[in-house]
Amino acid sequence: MNPIPTVPLAILPPVWENSLLLLASFLLLLLGAEVFTNAVEWLGHRLGVSESATGSILAAVGTALPETTIPIIAIFGSGGGTKAAEEVGVGAILGAPFMLVNFAMFLVGTSVLYFRTRRSNGQKMHFNNKSTRRDLSFFLVGYTLAFSAALIHSDTISHGIAALLVLLYLFYLYRSLKSGELVEGEELDDLHLGLMIEGLVPGMSADDNHSGDPHSILVAVQTLVALGLIIGGAQVFVSQTQWVSEEVLGIPTAIVALLIAPLATELPEKFNSIIWISRDKDTLALGNISGAMAFQGTLPVTLGIMFTSWDLSFQWGTAGFLNGLSAILAIISGCVLYFRARRINGSKMTARPFLIGGLFYLIFLAVVVYHVVVLNVGGISGH
C-alpha cells in the first residue's frame, strides 16, 4: 500500500506567501483593536469608570495598542536586537503621531467641506476648545521632548526625558479626569464574545444576556483574546515589514514602517471621525484623534528613547533625516492647530487649518521618494 502523499505547506510562490502574511497581519491587528476596544469599554463600565473617561482614555489606548505593540515586538521579540527590527520599532513609533496630526487631521478638514450641506454648522467646526487645546499642548510638549532626546548625546539626560514623558501622560490623565470635559462617550456596543455565545447556543434564556449585560469573566476573556490577536498580528507584521523593505522595495525598513504601520493600524479606526463629522459630532471626531496624539506623543516614544538608537538626525540623505523630518512636520502641524484653537477662543473654526496637514504629508512623501530614487537610500539601485 503506497503512502498517502502529503501536501506541501508552501504551495504558493514566496512573494504571494509573504504578501498574504502581510495582509493577514493587518487583519489580525485591526480585528484585535476592534475586539480589545469593545472589551475595554465594558471593562471600564464594570470598574465604575465614567463613560466619558472610558471612551476617551481606555478606548483611545485600546485603539493605539496595535501600533504600540509593533515596536514592543520589534524591540523585545525573538528578532529583537537586529538593525532591521530596531528600524521597524522606531518607524512605527514615529509614524503614528505623524499620521495622526497630519493625514488624520486632513481627513477631518476635508470631511467638514464634503459634508457641509448636511451639517448644521456647515463649513464651521464646533468642538470643545478647551479639551482640544489640552490634548494638543500635552502632545506638543511630550513629542518635542522626545525629539530633543535624539539630539542630546547623554544617556542620563535621555533617560530622564523618558521618565518625564511617562509622568507627563499620567498628569494628562489626571487633568483630563479632573476637568470633566472629556469627549462624550456613546452607548456601549454589545460585547462581541457575548453575541457569539448567544448565536452558537440555541434556546438560550432571555435572562442570560451575555452581550448587553455580560459577566466580568466574559469581558476578561475577550480582553485576553484581543491581546493575543494583536500580539500575533504584530509579530507577523514585523517580519513581513522587513521582507517588504529588503526584498520588494529595497529601501530602509524604517521608512516602510514609518508609512505602512500607522496606515494599517491607526488610520482605519480614525475613519470613525469622518462619520462623526457627518453627524455634527465635531468634539467627538477631534477628541478621537487628539486623545490618541496625547498618548502617542508621550508613552510609546519612551520605548524608542530607552531601547533603540533613536535615530533622528539632520543629516540629509539618511533614514535618520526622514525620521527627524516626520517629527518636525508633526510638531509644526500640531502648533498650527494649537495656536489656531487658542485664537478662536471658543468660536467656531474653519476647516482650513486642518488641511495644512495634508500638504505636510505630501511634502514628506516627496522627500521620501527623492531619498529613495535619487539619493539611493537603502540601495534600491542594487535590486
Side-chain angles (χ1 to χ4, degrees):
M1 186 174 180
N2 295 329
I4 299 175
T6 58
V7 179
L9 293 177
I11 59 176
L12 295 173
V15 63
W16 282 101
E17 182 180 348
N18 286 287
S19 299
L20 289 176
L21 284 174
L22 183 62
L23 177 61
S25 71
F26 290 161
L27 296 177
L28 282 175
L29 288 168
L30 293 176
L31 178 61
E34 166 61 26
V35 175
F36 184 87
T37 301
N38 175 254
V40 83
E41 288 175 350
W42 276 106
L43 180 62
H45 181 71
R46 287 287 179 256
L47 294 175
V49 179
S50 68
E51 190 175 83
S52 60
T54 299
S56 300
I57 297 177
L58 294 180
V61 172
T63 56
L65 190 61
E67 57 269 27
T68 307
T69 307
I70 289 173
I72 293 176
I73 294 296
I75 297 170
F76 302 109
S78 58
T82 65
K83 181 180 179 181
E86 180 177 298
E87 288 179 345
V88 172
V90 174
I93 290 170
L94 295 173
F98 174 71
M99 188 277 297
L100 286 169
V101 73
N102 288 301
F103 194 64
M105 287 296 190
F106 170 76
L107 288 179
V108 167
T110 54
S111 299
V112 170
L113 296 178
Y114 181 80
F115 295 112
R116 63 185 182 277
T117 56
R118 73 166 68 174
R119 288 166 44 86
S120 60
N121 294 322
Q123 297 186 36
K124 300 286 187 176
M125 295 191 65
H126 185 67
F127 55 90
N128 189 319
N129 188 274
K130 187 175 181 180
S131 63
T132 301
R133 292 203 314 267
R134 180 176 58 245
D135 289 352
L136 290 173
S137 63
F138 273 92
F139 164 74
L140 289 171
V141 172
Y143 207 49
T144 301
L145 284 173
F147 178 76
S148 65
L151 308 179
I152 300 173
H153 303 291
S154 170
D155 290 341
T156 301
I157 297 178
S158 295
H159 293 171
I161 291 176
L164 181 61
L165 290 173
V166 175
L167 294 176
L168 186 65
Y169 187 71
L170 294 177
F171 183 57
Y172 164 76
L173 295 182
Y174 169 77
R175 283 283 303 276
S176 300
L177 289 168
K178 185 179 179 180
S179 68
E181 296 173 349
L182 288 167
V183 178
E184 61 187 60
E186 293 190 322
E187 292 185 2
L188 292 179
D189 293 330
D190 289 342
L191 187 73
H192 295 333
L193 182 58
L195 288 173
M196 184 182 299
I197 293 175
E198 291 171 358
L200 294 176
V201 181
M204 180 172 290
S205 172
D207 295 332
D208 298 327
N209 190 358
H210 295 300
S211 57
D213 186 23
H215 194 279
S216 298
I217 294 179
L218 289 181
V219 175
V221 170
Q222 180 171 313
T223 303
L224 294 176
V225 170
L227 287 173
L229 292 173
I230 292 173
I231 293 172
Q235 185 74 55
V236 178
F237 179 87
V238 169
S239 62
Q240 297 312 306
T241 299
Q242 296 177 32
W243 168 76
V244 169
S245 64
E246 296 170 1
E247 302 298 330
V248 178
L249 300 178
I251 62 178
T253 312
I255 299 176
V256 177
L258 184 66
L259 295 175
I260 292 180
L263 291 175
T265 58
E266 185 84 64
L267 189 59
E269 194 276 335
K270 296 310 169 189
F271 273 104
N272 287 337
S273 292
I274 296 177
I275 298 174
W276 288 323
I277 287 291
S278 69
R279 299 174 181 174
D280 282 308
K281 296 183 177 181
D282 297 349
T283 297
L284 196 57
L286 272 182
N288 184 40
I289 299 174
S290 63
M293 286 169 53
F295 174 81
Q296 294 290 352
T298 51
L299 287 190
V301 291
T302 61
L303 295 174
I305 295 172
M306 293 290 294
F307 303 107
T308 75
S309 60
W310 202 227
D311 184 18
L312 290 78
S313 71
F314 294 111
Q315 185 177 352
W316 177 258
T318 65
F321 174 82
L322 296 176
N323 288 337
L325 179 62
S326 73
I328 291 174
L329 290 178
I331 292 171
I332 294 175
S333 187
C335 285
V336 170
L337 293 174
Y338 173 76
F339 286 112
R340 182 56 183 166
R342 283 185 61 90
R343 184 178 178 183
I344 62 174
N345 193 26
S347 302
K348 296 178 181 178
M349 184 188 292
T350 65
R352 284 179 295 181
F354 298 91
L355 302 180
I356 295 176
L359 176 62
F360 286 167
Y361 202 84
L362 288 177
I363 291 174
F364 181 75
L365 290 179
V367 175
V368 168
V369 171
Y370 183 83
H371 271 63
V372 171
V373 176
V374 179
L375 301 183
N376 195 31
V377 174
I380 192 171
S381 61
H383 269 61

